[in-house]
Amino acid sequence: NSDTSTFSTFAVGDAKDLALSQNETYTLTAPGAVPERQDVPHLHDAVLDPTGKFILVPDLGADLIRVYKIESGKIAVAAVASVKAVTGSGPRHGAFVVHGDKTFFYTVNELSNSITGYGVSYKADAAPEFSRLFDFSTHGPGGNVPVGTKSAEIVVSPDQKFVILSSRGENLLTIPNFDAANPTPLPSDPLISFSINEGTGALTLIQTAPAGGRNPRGFSLNKAGTLVASALQDDNRVVIIERDVKTGLLGKIVAHAAVGVGENNGPNYAVFNE
């Protein structure tokens, strides 16, 4: 939990009565490199690894990727050695990619507005080992973002060939107004797409496209990878964007809906129910 610096597991045997199984709370001995945002640990995501034996939890406040081993037959998990992230990066969310015998892990980092790539190796039942491959701007090597930008989500395409990121607070792109009678375009933050080198895990920037509005905090792809559902928190809007599976490029907005009323009440995430 980002606000309480805790990692929790729950028993789901009874879907109507989730039972707390484990609760681990963390502290920092001193603030991190970005004191106003790294005063305490902020565990921000929980990602199951491809083997189903480990859970990775990016900790924005501690600049760590915490790793937990799933104990066979148990609900509780055991913490193993954490992975040190780039100092001051603030890892927020993560995603795995597997190609043959190659495994890669990527984090989108909120404080540095960067993406970090790791090569992942496994030895028997030991904790996975991480080797940092790169760390560069969410807009690609040498890219820049405006002051106040906060990167948000990272999603890997179903075919494991592309990575897509969202970035908040840029407002540098525009989309046509949803009111046909109003010619004034609307501001939009970006969704940024990269292709994945299947052998090395390297990423190549292929597109910066409108997310459909401001503050795309969370988005998802459908199972076919042909559509993106984007939640625009600051615009109280969800949009559906078409996507070309072969090229990985996003196209036009094909649907939209108003969600939430008033400020700070917009949608945080949009997911397909298939």
Side-chain angles (χ1 to χ4, degrees):
N1 186 294
S2 177
D3 293 330
T4 60
S5 303
T6 60
F7 174 78
S8 305
T9 60
F10 295 82
V12 295
D14 183 350
K16 296 181 180 180
D17 185 18
L18 302 184
L20 179 65
S21 172
Q22 182 178 359
N23 207 48
E24 302 291 340
T25 299
Y26 296 94
T27 59
L28 294 178
T29 56
V34 186
E36 64 273 18
R37 295 296 311 281
Q38 295 184 310
D39 53 336
V40 296
H42 294 294
L43 288 74
H44 228 292
D45 193 15
V47 186
L48 184 67
D49 90 316
T51 70
K53 297 179 179 179
F54 298 92
I55 297 173
L56 274 69
V57 178
D59 185 338
L60 183 152
D63 280 332
L64 293 175
I65 302 168
R66 300 186 186 274
V67 184
Y68 302 88
K69 184 175 183 179
I70 299 173
E71 302 286 355
S72 179
K74 299 180 181 179
I75 298 173
V77 298
V80 295
S82 297
V83 180
K84 185 70 180 73
V86 176
T87 300
S89 62
R92 177 182 172 89
H93 287 184
F96 278 96
V97 166
V98 178
H99 284 291
D101 61 352
K102 303 279 190 178
T103 300
F104 307 105
F105 184 68
Y106 304 98
T107 62
V108 61
N109 310 309
E110 180 176 333
L111 303 185
S112 61
N113 290 294
S114 66
I115 178 172
T116 307
Y118 300 86
V120 187
S121 60
Y122 294 88
K123 295 180 181 179
D125 289 331
E129 297 181 359
F130 292 77
S131 174
R132 190 184 301 160
L133 303 174
F134 61 80
D135 179 77
F136 53 67
S137 167
T138 51
H139 283 268
N144 295 298
V145 299
V147 174
T149 295
K150 297 178 181 179
S151 58
E153 185 62 275
I154 179 169
V155 172
V156 171
S157 61
D159 60 9
Q160 304 273 286
K161 293 183 178 181
F162 300 92
V163 167
I164 309 173
L165 311 176
S166 66
S167 184
R168 302 169 290 171
E170 297 190 25
N171 298 322
L172 298 180
L173 303 177
T174 60
I175 57 174
N177 201 300
F178 293 105
D179 180 357
N182 188 342
T184 304
L186 300 174
S188 178
D189 285 321
L191 293 179
I192 308 157
S193 297
F194 297 83
S195 62
I196 303 170
N197 183 304
E198 298 180 12
T200 67
L203 300 183
T204 299
L205 177 67
I206 61 169
Q207 186 189 35
T208 301
R214 300 172 300 157
N215 198 349
R217 193 180 187 96
F219 67 93
S220 66
L221 275 66
N222 64 343
K223 290 180 180 179
T226 57
L227 297 172
V228 176
S230 176
L232 294 314
Q233 186 176 13
D234 287 359
D235 287 328
N236 295 358
R237 179 190 308 136
V238 170
V239 302
I240 305 297
I241 307 169
E242 64 181 4
R243 178 178 178 273
D244 187 304
V245 175
K246 291 185 178 180
T247 65
L249 300 179
L250 304 188
K252 63 179 181 292
I253 295 172
V254 295
H256 68 278
V259 179
V261 178
E263 294 184 4
N264 301 317
N265 194 35
N268 285 344
Y269 193 72
V271 63
F272 288 92
N273 181 16
E274 299 178 275

